[in-house]
Amino acid sequence: MPPAADAAPRSPDDRAGLGRGLRTVIGLACAVVVAFGCARFAPIIGPTVLALVVTICVQPARVFLERLGFARSLASAVVIVIVLVVTVAFTAALVISLAQFATLFPQYSDQFADLEQSVANGLESLGVGPEQVAAVFATFDPGKIVGVVSGLIGSVFGFGFSTFLVLSLIVFMTLDAGWGHLIAGRLRPARPGLVEALVAYTVSVRRYMLVTALLGAAVAALDALALVVLGIPGALLWGLLAFITGFIPNIGYWIGLIPPAFLALLAFGWPTALAVIVVYAVINGVIQSGLQPHITGSAVSLNQTISFLSVVVWSALLGPLGAILALPLTLLVRALLVDANPDARWMRPALGDLSGVTPAKRRRPER
């Protein structure tokens, strides 16, 4: 009896293709399991990554103090004190701003009612029924905005266990970072690719976070100053919100713009709201969209699609803190899975690293 057609021996290329397909399916299954694990332990993973990023950023300060003659333990202690003081000062400013904000929006309930009525009249003139208009505005309440913004900022800089965990991890990681170069030297002979990938990761994250923080502080200061000039209430809070959302790529600008623009609309009308939008657009366009890419250079090397998906995925897994740490987390995944694996480095251009890639010249149409 002749053998069936599908029972014929497969070529080496067919077997290799099946092996790659099986590895791809197993890898995707493992990624799903890891994602569920990250979501389950988000209250621990998020603060841990935040502490790691802060430790990476302050590492040059500790090295600089050691070069000045400070002992390793003393240099670490000085850096820890500086980080704690900055954290406490920022938290105090945030608490004061939120306390003022809690009484801010309810003061404009009458203006919100007038705005709702004018918008409802406009919708009804377009043929939208009163029931649909009422359903649209049923979810809009100035009092709810207070809870949403407070919950967003509070979930990022939560008090209690998360704050204690972050501060404790910063202390321990800063102390352990003094031995980082010795550990890397021991691991380099056995895992040179992994060590080089992690070293490059620390450099990239440090450059990105420090540049983003410095330029974000400049943007926040200019935004707050402009809001003070325009007479918008809660200028300090909106400046802090602009600083925080500056770490969220692509959509952070809109998150920081909508609350002050909406408050300006309630307090002073459309001209002031448009002025807020224009001021934010100019400041963000000049500093964050113009200067930041040139300063950070190839520190991130992620295309816009990957950056946006990073925010979506990590915010879904870790909450608002995941949106702020989206790029450092994605860079860490790339360092472990792509940069440390010579066989997978071909994926870097697809992820956005175009260093060394020259664009093809456009051919002129033949006449």
Side-chain angles (χ1 to χ4, degrees):
M1 184 176 180
D6 57 356
R10 298 182 182 274
S11 65
D13 292 338
D14 292 337
R15 290 194 295 269
L18 290 175
R20 285 193 296 269
L22 180 60
R23 288 194 297 268
T24 301
V25 173
I26 295 176
L28 292 175
C30 293
V32 172
V33 173
V34 173
F36 275 100
C38 291
R40 175 65 179 82
F41 295 100
I44 297 177
I45 295 177
T48 301
V49 176
L50 177 60
L52 175 63
V53 171
V54 172
T55 303
I56 291 174
C57 293
V58 301
Q59 177 69 3
R62 191 194 59 76
V63 174
F64 175 75
L65 292 177
E66 287 188 8
R67 291 177 178 175
L68 292 180
F70 285 71
R72 180 182 291 112
S73 58
L74 181 58
S76 300
V78 172
V79 171
I80 290 171
V81 171
I82 294 175
V83 172
L84 294 180
V85 170
V86 173
T87 302
V88 171
F90 185 83
T91 303
L94 196 62
V95 170
I96 295 174
S97 300
L98 286 176
Q100 296 176 348
F101 176 63
T103 60
L104 189 60
F105 264 100
Q107 299 176 5
Y108 297 95
S109 57
D110 295 336
Q111 292 85 339
F112 182 80
D114 295 337
L115 176 64
E116 180 180 351
Q117 185 61 43
S118 61
V119 174
N121 294 335
L123 292 176
E124 290 180 1
S125 65
L126 296 176
V128 181
E131 296 79 7
Q132 289 79 5
V133 173
V136 170
F137 285 98
T139 57
F140 288 91
D141 183 5
K144 293 181 180 179
I145 300 178
V146 177
V148 171
V149 177
S150 301
L152 173 64
I153 300 178
S155 61
V156 175
F157 298 94
F159 304 101
F161 175 74
S162 296
T163 304
F164 174 78
L165 180 60
V166 170
L167 297 179
S168 300
L169 286 172
I170 289 175
V171 172
F172 297 139
M173 288 183 179
T174 303
L175 293 174
D176 292 336
W179 305 97
H181 64 286
L182 296 177
I183 297 174
R186 294 289 183 89
L187 292 178
R188 195 181 301 273
R191 295 289 187 271
L194 178 61
V195 173
E196 293 299 331
L198 292 179
V199 171
Y201 167 76
T202 59
V203 174
S204 298
V205 168
R206 183 181 301 122
R207 183 187 304 175
Y208 167 75
M209 295 299 292
L210 290 179
V211 170
T212 303
L214 293 176
L215 295 182
V219 169
L222 293 176
D223 286 342
L225 179 61
L227 294 177
V228 170
V229 173
L230 293 174
I232 308 300
L236 176 60
L237 175 64
W238 308 132
L240 292 175
L241 183 62
F243 174 77
I244 295 171
T245 56
F247 291 92
I248 305 176
N250 299 323
I251 62 174
Y253 165 75
W254 300 103
I255 298 175
L257 168 64
I258 292 176
F262 183 70
L263 183 61
L265 176 62
L266 292 180
F268 304 105
W270 288 104
T272 305
L274 292 176
V276 171
I277 295 174
V278 171
V279 168
Y280 267 62
V282 171
I283 295 175
N284 180 82
V286 172
I287 296 181
Q288 291 184 323
S289 299
L291 294 178
Q292 185 170 341
H294 295 286
I295 298 177
T296 56
S298 59
V300 178
S301 297
L302 295 174
N303 57 44
Q304 296 297 320
T305 303
I306 299 297
S307 300
F308 178 74
L309 288 177
S310 299
V311 175
V312 174
V313 172
W314 291 114
S315 61
L317 296 179
L318 303 179
L321 186 57
I324 294 176
L325 299 174
L327 289 187
L329 285 166
T330 301
L331 291 175
L332 179 60
V333 173
R334 190 187 70 180
L336 295 176
L337 300 183
V338 178
D339 298 345
N341 184 5
D343 296 333
R345 291 179 182 174
W346 60 268
M347 297 178 58
R348 285 184 62 93
L351 298 177
D353 184 9
L354 301 180
S355 57
V357 178
T358 57
K361 295 182 179 180
R362 181 179 300 176
R363 296 180 59 183
R364 296 182 178 179
E366 297 181 0
R367 296 182 179 177

mmCIF file of all heavy atoms in Angstrom, residues 101-144:
data_model
loop_
_atom_site.group_PDB
_atom_site.id
_atom_site.type_symbol
_atom_site.label_atom_id
_atom_site.label_comp_id
_atom_site.label_asym_id
_atom_site.label_seq_id
_atom_site.Cartn_x
_atom_site.Cartn_y
_atom_site.Cartn_z
ATOM 1 N N PHE A 101 -7.259 71.790 45.327
ATOM 2 C CA PHE A 101 -8.048 71.371 44.177
ATOM 3 C C PHE A 101 -9.384 70.774 44.599
ATOM 4 O O PHE A 101 -10.374 70.855 43.858
ATOM 5 C CB PHE A 101 -7.233 70.356 43.370
ATOM 6 C CG PHE A 101 -7.964 69.777 42.198
ATOM 7 C CD1 PHE A 101 -8.371 70.585 41.155
ATOM 8 C CD2 PHE A 101 -8.235 68.429 42.136
ATOM 9 C CE1 PHE A 101 -9.028 70.057 40.059
ATOM 10 C CE2 PHE A 101 -8.895 67.890 41.058
ATOM 11 C CZ PHE A 101 -9.299 68.706 40.009
ATOM 12 N N ALA A 102 -9.436 70.173 45.786
ATOM 13 C CA ALA A 102 -10.668 69.529 46.246
ATOM 14 C C ALA A 102 -11.820 70.510 46.376
ATOM 15 O O ALA A 102 -12.992 70.123 46.272
ATOM 16 C CB ALA A 102 -10.418 68.836 47.581
ATOM 17 N N THR A 103 -11.504 71.783 46.587
ATOM 18 C CA THR A 103 -12.557 72.800 46.727
ATOM 19 C C THR A 103 -12.669 73.685 45.496
ATOM 20 O O THR A 103 -13.373 74.696 45.533
ATOM 21 C CB THR A 103 -12.260 73.687 47.957
ATOM 22 O OG1 THR A 103 -10.991 74.331 47.773
ATOM 23 C CG2 THR A 103 -12.214 72.853 49.220
ATOM 24 N N LEU A 104 -11.984 73.314 44.424
ATOM 25 C CA LEU A 104 -11.897 74.195 43.268
ATOM 26 C C LEU A 104 -13.067 74.009 42.306
ATOM 27 O O LEU A 104 -13.849 74.937 42.058
ATOM 28 C CB LEU A 104 -10.573 73.960 42.537
ATOM 29 C CG LEU A 104 -10.212 74.935 41.422
ATOM 30 C CD1 LEU A 104 -10.119 76.353 41.965
ATOM 31 C CD2 LEU A 104 -8.880 74.531 40.784
ATOM 32 N N PHE A 105 -13.220 72.808 41.764
ATOM 33 C CA PHE A 105 -14.238 72.586 40.741
ATOM 34 C C PHE A 105 -15.667 72.780 41.252
ATOM 35 O O PHE A 105 -16.512 73.298 40.503
ATOM 36 C CB PHE A 105 -14.075 71.181 40.152
ATOM 37 C CG PHE A 105 -13.268 71.172 38.886
ATOM 38 C CD1 PHE A 105 -11.941 70.809 38.917
ATOM 39 C CD2 PHE A 105 -13.833 71.530 37.680
ATOM 40 C CE1 PHE A 105 -11.187 70.800 37.761
ATOM 41 C CE2 PHE A 105 -13.092 71.523 36.514
ATOM 42 C CZ PHE A 105 -11.760 71.159 36.550
ATOM 43 N N PRO A 106 -16.005 72.370 42.478
ATOM 44 C CA PRO A 106 -17.391 72.604 42.927
ATOM 45 C C PRO A 106 -17.796 74.072 42.920
ATOM 46 O O PRO A 106 -18.994 74.381 42.871
ATOM 47 C CB PRO A 106 -17.391 72.027 44.351
ATOM 48 C CG PRO A 106 -16.331 70.976 44.324
ATOM 49 C CD PRO A 106 -15.262 71.525 43.435
ATOM 50 N N GLN A 107 -16.818 74.991 42.969
ATOM 51 C CA GLN A 107 -17.152 76.412 42.942
ATOM 52 C C GLN A 107 -17.716 76.846 41.595
ATOM 53 O O GLN A 107 -18.340 77.915 41.507
ATOM 54 C CB GLN A 107 -15.907 77.254 43.271
ATOM 55 C CG GLN A 107 -15.336 76.992 44.651
ATOM 56 C CD GLN A 107 -14.054 77.768 44.895
ATOM 57 O OE1 GLN A 107 -13.637 78.578 44.057
ATOM 58 N NE2 GLN A 107 -13.426 77.535 46.033
ATOM 59 N N TYR A 108 -17.483 76.044 40.570
ATOM 60 C CA TYR A 108 -17.918 76.417 39.219
ATOM 61 C C TYR A 108 -19.081 75.548 38.755
ATOM 62 O O TYR A 108 -19.251 75.311 37.556
ATOM 63 C CB TYR A 108 -16.744 76.288 38.239
ATOM 64 C CG TYR A 108 -15.605 77.222 38.544
ATOM 65 C CD1 TYR A 108 -14.527 76.793 39.313
ATOM 66 C CD2 TYR A 108 -15.611 78.529 38.085
ATOM 67 C CE1 TYR A 108 -13.479 77.642 39.606
ATOM 68 C CE2 TYR A 108 -14.569 79.396 38.377
ATOM 69 C CZ TYR A 108 -13.505 78.939 39.143
ATOM 70 O OH TYR A 108 -12.470 79.798 39.434
ATOM 71 N N SER A 109 -19.883 75.070 39.696
ATOM 72 C CA SER A 109 -21.029 74.234 39.319
ATOM 73 C C SER A 109 -22.053 75.024 38.501
ATOM 74 O O SER A 109 -22.657 74.497 37.555
ATOM 75 C CB SER A 109 -21.682 73.654 40.574
ATOM 76 O OG SER A 109 -22.079 74.706 41.453
ATOM 77 N N ASP A 110 -22.262 76.321 38.828
ATOM 78 C CA ASP A 110 -23.212 77.127 38.061
ATOM 79 C C ASP A 110 -22.709 77.347 36.630
ATOM 80 O O ASP A 110 -23.489 77.251 35.669
ATOM 81 C CB ASP A 110 -23.433 78.478 38.747
ATOM 82 C CG ASP A 110 -24.099 78.331 40.109
ATOM 83 O OD1 ASP A 110 -24.781 77.302 40.323
ATOM 84 O OD2 ASP A 110 -23.926 79.239 40.947
ATOM 85 N N GLN A 111 -21.424 77.652 36.483
ATOM 86 C CA GLN A 111 -20.873 77.834 35.147
ATOM 87 C C GLN A 111 -20.951 76.536 34.347
ATOM 88 O O GLN A 111 -21.199 76.555 33.137
ATOM 89 C CB GLN A 111 -19.414 78.309 35.224
ATOM 90 C CG GLN A 111 -19.241 79.715 35.767
ATOM 91 C CD GLN A 111 -19.188 79.758 37.275
ATOM 92 O OE1 GLN A 111 -19.646 78.837 37.953
ATOM 93 N NE2 GLN A 111 -18.624 80.840 37.804
ATOM 94 N N PHE A 112 -20.743 75.407 35.025
ATOM 95 C CA PHE A 112 -20.847 74.131 34.328
ATOM 96 C C PHE A 112 -22.277 73.885 33.867
ATOM 97 O O PHE A 112 -22.502 73.349 32.768
ATOM 98 C CB PHE A 112 -20.386 72.998 35.248
ATOM 99 C CG PHE A 112 -20.421 71.645 34.599
ATOM 100 C CD1 PHE A 112 -19.412 71.227 33.756
ATOM 101 C CD2 PHE A 112 -21.483 70.771 34.832
ATOM 102 C CE1 PHE A 112 -19.456 69.977 33.153
ATOM 103 C CE2 PHE A 112 -21.541 69.528 34.243
ATOM 104 C CZ PHE A 112 -20.516 69.129 33.396
ATOM 105 N N ALA A 113 -23.248 74.262 34.683
ATOM 106 C CA ALA A 113 -24.647 74.105 34.288
ATOM 107 C C ALA A 113 -24.975 74.966 33.074
ATOM 108 O O ALA A 113 -25.692 74.525 32.153
ATOM 109 C CB ALA A 113 -25.562 74.456 35.460
ATOM 110 N N ASP A 114 -24.444 76.196 33.043
ATOM 111 C CA ASP A 114 -24.672 77.061 31.882
ATOM 112 C C ASP A 114 -24.021 76.481 30.630
ATOM 113 O O ASP A 114 -24.613 76.512 29.537
ATOM 114 C CB ASP A 114 -24.119 78.463 32.158
ATOM 115 C CG ASP A 114 -24.859 79.164 33.297
ATOM 116 O OD1 ASP A 114 -26.016 78.785 33.567
ATOM 117 O OD2 ASP A 114 -24.257 80.063 33.912
ATOM 118 N N LEU A 115 -22.789 75.952 30.782
ATOM 119 C CA LEU A 115 -22.113 75.341 29.642
ATOM 120 C C LEU A 115 -22.874 74.115 29.150
ATOM 121 O O LEU A 115 -23.033 73.907 27.934
ATOM 122 C CB LEU A 115 -20.689 74.946 30.049
ATOM 123 C CG LEU A 115 -19.869 74.193 28.996
ATOM 124 C CD1 LEU A 115 -19.632 75.066 27.766
ATOM 125 C CD2 LEU A 115 -18.530 73.732 29.594
ATOM 126 N N GLU A 116 -23.364 73.333 30.080
ATOM 127 C CA GLU A 116 -24.143 72.152 29.708
ATOM 128 C C GLU A 116 -25.402 72.533 28.942
ATOM 129 O O GLU A 116 -25.769 71.891 27.943
ATOM 130 C CB GLU A 116 -24.511 71.369 30.970
ATOM 131 C CG GLU A 116 -25.331 70.111 30.717
ATOM 132 C CD GLU A 116 -25.659 69.383 32.000
ATOM 133 O OE1 GLU A 116 -25.108 69.768 33.061
ATOM 134 O OE2 GLU A 116 -26.471 68.435 31.960
ATOM 135 N N GLN A 117 -26.062 73.591 29.389
ATOM 136 C CA GLN A 117 -27.288 74.018 28.720
ATOM 137 C C GLN A 117 -26.996 74.534 27.307
ATOM 138 O O GLN A 117 -27.741 74.228 26.360
ATOM 139 C CB GLN A 117 -27.972 75.113 29.545
ATOM 140 C CG GLN A 117 -29.318 75.550 28.991
ATOM 141 C CD GLN A 117 -30.324 74.403 28.935
ATOM 142 O OE1 GLN A 117 -30.416 73.620 29.873
ATOM 143 N NE2 GLN A 117 -31.073 74.320 27.840
ATOM 144 N N SER A 118 -25.906 75.292 27.152
ATOM 145 C CA SER A 118 -25.580 75.820 25.820
ATOM 146 C C SER A 118 -25.196 74.702 24.862
ATOM 147 O O SER A 118 -25.591 74.719 23.685
ATOM 148 C CB SER A 118 -24.441 76.837 25.925
ATOM 149 O OG SER A 118 -23.265 76.221 26.442
ATOM 150 N N VAL A 119 -24.444 73.728 25.362
ATOM 151 C CA VAL A 119 -24.085 72.604 24.511
ATOM 152 C C VAL A 119 -25.320 71.778 24.178
ATOM 153 O O VAL A 119 -25.477 71.290 23.046
ATOM 154 C CB VAL A 119 -23.010 71.740 25.197
ATOM 155 C CG1 VAL A 119 -22.730 70.472 24.385
ATOM 156 C CG2 VAL A 119 -21.726 72.532 25.369
ATOM 157 N N ALA A 120 -26.199 71.586 25.155
ATOM 158 C CA ALA A 120 -27.428 70.835 24.902
ATOM 159 C C ALA A 120 -28.289 71.524 23.845
ATOM 160 O O ALA A 120 -28.861 70.871 22.963
ATOM 161 C CB ALA A 120 -28.213 70.677 26.202
ATOM 162 N N ASN A 121 -28.373 72.853 23.905
ATOM 163 C CA ASN A 121 -29.137 73.576 22.884
ATOM 164 C C ASN A 121 -28.524 73.398 21.503
ATOM 165 O O ASN A 121 -29.232 73.246 20.502
ATOM 166 C CB ASN A 121 -29.207 75.060 23.244
ATOM 167 C CG ASN A 121 -30.006 75.310 24.514
ATOM 168 O OD1 ASN A 121 -30.872 74.522 24.882
ATOM 169 N ND2 ASN A 121 -29.703 76.415 25.197
ATOM 170 N N GLY A 122 -27.183 73.408 21.454
ATOM 171 C CA GLY A 122 -26.524 73.202 20.172
ATOM 172 C C GLY A 122 -26.764 71.810 19.619
ATOM 173 O O GLY A 122 -26.977 71.636 18.409
ATOM 174 N N LEU A 123 -26.736 70.800 20.486
ATOM 175 C CA LEU A 123 -26.988 69.438 20.028
ATOM 176 C C LEU A 123 -28.426 69.247 19.564
ATOM 177 O O LEU A 123 -28.692 68.568 18.566
ATOM 178 C CB LEU A 123 -26.654 68.442 21.155
ATOM 179 C CG LEU A 123 -25.181 68.313 21.533
ATOM 180 C CD1 LEU A 123 -25.020 67.369 22.710
ATOM 181 C CD2 LEU A 123 -24.342 67.828 20.356
ATOM 182 N N GLU A 124 -29.348 69.856 20.301
ATOM 183 C CA GLU A 124 -30.751 69.738 19.899
ATOM 184 C C GLU A 124 -31.006 70.429 18.566
ATOM 185 O O GLU A 124 -31.840 69.978 17.774
ATOM 186 C CB GLU A 124 -31.644 70.324 20.986
ATOM 187 C CG GLU A 124 -31.672 69.493 22.265
ATOM 188 C CD GLU A 124 -32.567 70.110 23.339
ATOM 189 O OE1 GLU A 124 -33.163 71.176 23.044
ATOM 190 O OE2 GLU A 124 -32.660 69.550 24.445
ATOM 191 N N SER A 125 -30.269 71.519 18.303
ATOM 192 C CA SER A 125 -30.423 72.181 17.009
ATOM 193 C C SER A 125 -29.915 71.331 15.864
ATOM 194 O O SER A 125 -30.313 71.518 14.710
ATOM 195 C CB SER A 125 -29.691 73.526 17.015
ATOM 196 O OG SER A 125 -28.279 73.327 17.148
ATOM 197 N N LEU A 126 -29.039 70.372 16.177
ATOM 198 C CA LEU A 126 -28.529 69.446 15.163
ATOM 199 C C LEU A 126 -29.376 68.205 15.028
ATOM 200 O O LEU A 126 -29.030 67.301 14.254
ATOM 201 C CB LEU A 126 -27.081 69.053 15.505
ATOM 202 C CG LEU A 126 -26.047 70.180 15.487
ATOM 203 C CD1 LEU A 126 -24.694 69.649 15.929
ATOM 204 C CD2 LEU A 126 -25.953 70.813 14.087
ATOM 205 N N GLY A 127 -30.454 68.121 15.798
ATOM 206 C CA GLY A 127 -31.355 66.994 15.682
ATOM 207 C C GLY A 127 -31.212 65.945 16.757
ATOM 208 O O GLY A 127 -31.879 64.906 16.689
ATOM 209 N N VAL A 128 -30.368 66.175 17.750
ATOM 210 C CA VAL A 128 -30.192 65.222 18.843
ATOM 211 C C VAL A 128 -31.327 65.427 19.846
ATOM 212 O O VAL A 128 -31.598 66.560 20.281
ATOM 213 C CB VAL A 128 -28.823 65.391 19.521
ATOM 214 C CG1 VAL A 128 -28.650 64.369 20.636
ATOM 215 C CG2 VAL A 128 -27.707 65.243 18.490
ATOM 216 N N GLY A 129 -31.994 64.336 20.241
ATOM 217 C CA GLY A 129 -33.128 64.435 21.135
ATOM 218 C C GLY A 129 -32.746 64.786 22.556
ATOM 219 O O GLY A 129 -31.597 64.607 22.969
ATOM 220 N N PRO A 130 -33.680 65.295 23.350
ATOM 221 C CA PRO A 130 -33.383 65.656 24.746
ATOM 222 C C PRO A 130 -32.927 64.468 25.579
ATOM 223 O O PRO A 130 -32.102 64.621 26.480
ATOM 224 C CB PRO A 130 -34.718 66.222 25.251
ATOM 225 C CG PRO A 130 -35.474 66.593 24.028
ATOM 226 C CD PRO A 130 -35.054 65.631 22.967
ATOM 227 N N GLU A 131 -33.477 63.276 25.317
ATOM 228 C CA GLU A 131 -33.079 62.098 26.088
ATOM 229 C C GLU A 131 -31.615 61.763 25.846
ATOM 230 O O GLU A 131 -30.862 61.458 26.787
ATOM 231 C CB GLU A 131 -33.947 60.890 25.725
ATOM 232 C CG GLU A 131 -35.427 61.028 26.078
ATOM 233 C CD GLU A 131 -36.182 61.866 25.064
ATOM 234 O OE1 GLU A 131 -35.562 62.222 24.008
ATOM 235 O OE2 GLU A 131 -37.366 62.182 25.297
ATOM 236 N N GLN A 132 -31.176 61.821 24.570
ATOM 237 C CA GLN A 132 -29.778 61.537 24.269
ATOM 238 C C GLN A 132 -28.851 62.586 24.878
ATOM 239 O O GLN A 132 -27.780 62.269 25.371
ATOM 240 C CB GLN A 132 -29.551 61.471 22.748
ATOM 241 C CG GLN A 132 -30.157 60.242 22.081
ATOM 242 C CD GLN A 132 -31.655 60.390 21.854
ATOM 243 O OE1 GLN A 132 -32.222 61.459 22.114
ATOM 244 N NE2 GLN A 132 -32.291 59.328 21.370
ATOM 245 N N VAL A 133 -29.296 63.846 24.852
ATOM 246 C CA VAL A 133 -28.486 64.913 25.451
ATOM 247 C C VAL A 133 -28.334 64.699 26.946
ATOM 248 O O VAL A 133 -27.253 64.843 27.520
ATOM 249 C CB VAL A 133 -29.108 66.282 25.150
ATOM 250 C CG1 VAL A 133 -28.366 67.379 25.906
ATOM 251 C CG2 VAL A 133 -29.092 66.562 23.655
ATOM 252 N N ALA A 134 -29.448 64.330 27.607
ATOM 253 C CA ALA A 134 -29.384 64.078 29.053
ATOM 254 C C ALA A 134 -28.476 62.898 29.359
ATOM 255 O O ALA A 134 -27.741 62.903 30.356
ATOM 256 C CB ALA A 134 -30.788 63.830 29.590
ATOM 257 N N ALA A 135 -28.510 61.869 28.502
ATOM 258 C CA ALA A 135 -27.643 60.716 28.720
ATOM 259 C C ALA A 135 -26.176 61.079 28.559
ATOM 260 O O ALA A 135 -25.309 60.567 29.274
ATOM 261 C CB ALA A 135 -28.021 59.594 27.753
ATOM 262 N N VAL A 136 -25.865 61.989 27.611
ATOM 263 C CA VAL A 136 -24.479 62.408 27.408
ATOM 264 C C VAL A 136 -23.941 63.130 28.625
ATOM 265 O O VAL A 136 -22.812 62.889 29.078
ATOM 266 C CB VAL A 136 -24.370 63.294 26.146
ATOM 267 C CG1 VAL A 136 -22.992 63.935 26.059
ATOM 268 C CG2 VAL A 136 -24.656 62.471 24.904
ATOM 269 N N PHE A 137 -24.728 64.025 29.189
ATOM 270 C CA PHE A 137 -24.255 64.845 30.311
ATOM 271 C C PHE A 137 -24.466 64.184 31.669
ATOM 272 O O PHE A 137 -24.098 64.759 32.692
ATOM 273 C CB PHE A 137 -24.951 66.215 30.307
ATOM 274 C CG PHE A 137 -24.442 67.132 29.246
ATOM 275 C CD1 PHE A 137 -25.123 67.260 28.045
ATOM 276 C CD2 PHE A 137 -23.279 67.857 29.433
ATOM 277 C CE1 PHE A 137 -24.665 68.109 27.052
ATOM 278 C CE2 PHE A 137 -22.807 68.708 28.452
ATOM 279 C CZ PHE A 137 -23.499 68.830 27.253
ATOM 280 N N ALA A 138 -25.049 63.005 31.675
ATOM 281 C CA ALA A 138 -25.283 62.343 32.966
ATOM 282 C C ALA A 138 -23.985 61.957 33.644
ATOM 283 O O ALA A 138 -23.898 61.902 34.876
ATOM 284 C CB ALA A 138 -26.159 61.107 32.773
ATOM 285 N N THR A 139 -22.953 61.674 32.830
ATOM 286 C CA THR A 139 -21.670 61.247 33.405
ATOM 287 C C THR A 139 -20.740 62.402 33.708
ATOM 288 O O THR A 139 -19.677 62.188 34.293
ATOM 289 C CB THR A 139 -20.975 60.283 32.430
ATOM 290 O OG1 THR A 139 -20.812 60.935 31.166
ATOM 291 C CG2 THR A 139 -21.789 59.019 32.235
ATOM 292 N N PHE A 140 -21.098 63.629 33.299
ATOM 293 C CA PHE A 140 -20.253 64.791 33.527
ATOM 294 C C PHE A 140 -20.695 65.499 34.802
ATOM 295 O O PHE A 140 -21.830 65.964 34.913
ATOM 296 C CB PHE A 140 -20.310 65.759 32.343
ATOM 297 C CG PHE A 140 -19.603 65.246 31.126
ATOM 298 C CD1 PHE A 140 -20.288 64.501 30.181
ATOM 299 C CD2 PHE A 140 -18.256 65.499 30.933
ATOM 300 C CE1 PHE A 140 -19.643 64.024 29.055
ATOM 301 C CE2 PHE A 140 -17.601 65.027 29.807
ATOM 302 C CZ PHE A 140 -18.299 64.284 28.869
ATOM 303 N N ASP A 141 -19.783 65.582 35.727
ATOM 304 C CA ASP A 141 -20.063 66.236 37.002
ATOM 305 C C ASP A 141 -18.770 66.861 37.498
ATOM 306 O O ASP A 141 -17.752 66.177 37.631
ATOM 307 C CB ASP A 141 -20.583 65.225 38.022
ATOM 308 C CG ASP A 141 -20.951 65.875 39.343
ATOM 309 O OD1 ASP A 141 -20.899 67.115 39.434
ATOM 310 O OD2 ASP A 141 -21.259 65.145 40.295
ATOM 311 N N PRO A 142 -18.742 68.176 37.758
ATOM 312 C CA PRO A 142 -17.516 68.797 38.243
ATOM 313 C C PRO A 142 -16.970 68.138 39.499
ATOM 314 O O PRO A 142 -15.760 68.070 39.703
ATOM 315 C CB PRO A 142 -17.937 70.253 38.512
ATOM 316 C CG PRO A 142 -19.109 70.469 37.624
ATOM 317 C CD PRO A 142 -19.828 69.150 37.557
ATOM 318 N N GLY A 143 -17.865 67.641 40.343
ATOM 319 C CA GLY A 143 -17.389 66.975 41.549
ATOM 320 C C GLY A 143 -16.646 65.691 41.258
ATOM 321 O O GLY A 143 -15.714 65.314 41.958
ATOM 322 N N LYS A 144 -17.061 64.987 40.178
ATOM 323 C CA LYS A 144 -16.377 63.749 39.823
ATOM 324 C C LYS A 144 -14.970 64.000 39.301
ATOM 325 O O LYS A 144 -14.097 63.146 39.414
ATOM 326 C CB LYS A 144 -17.190 62.990 38.780
ATOM 327 C CG LYS A 144 -18.525 62.469 39.298
ATOM 328 C CD LYS A 144 -19.261 61.704 38.205
ATOM 329 C CE LYS A 144 -20.596 61.170 38.723
ATOM 330 N NZ LYS A 144 -21.334 60.433 37.668
#
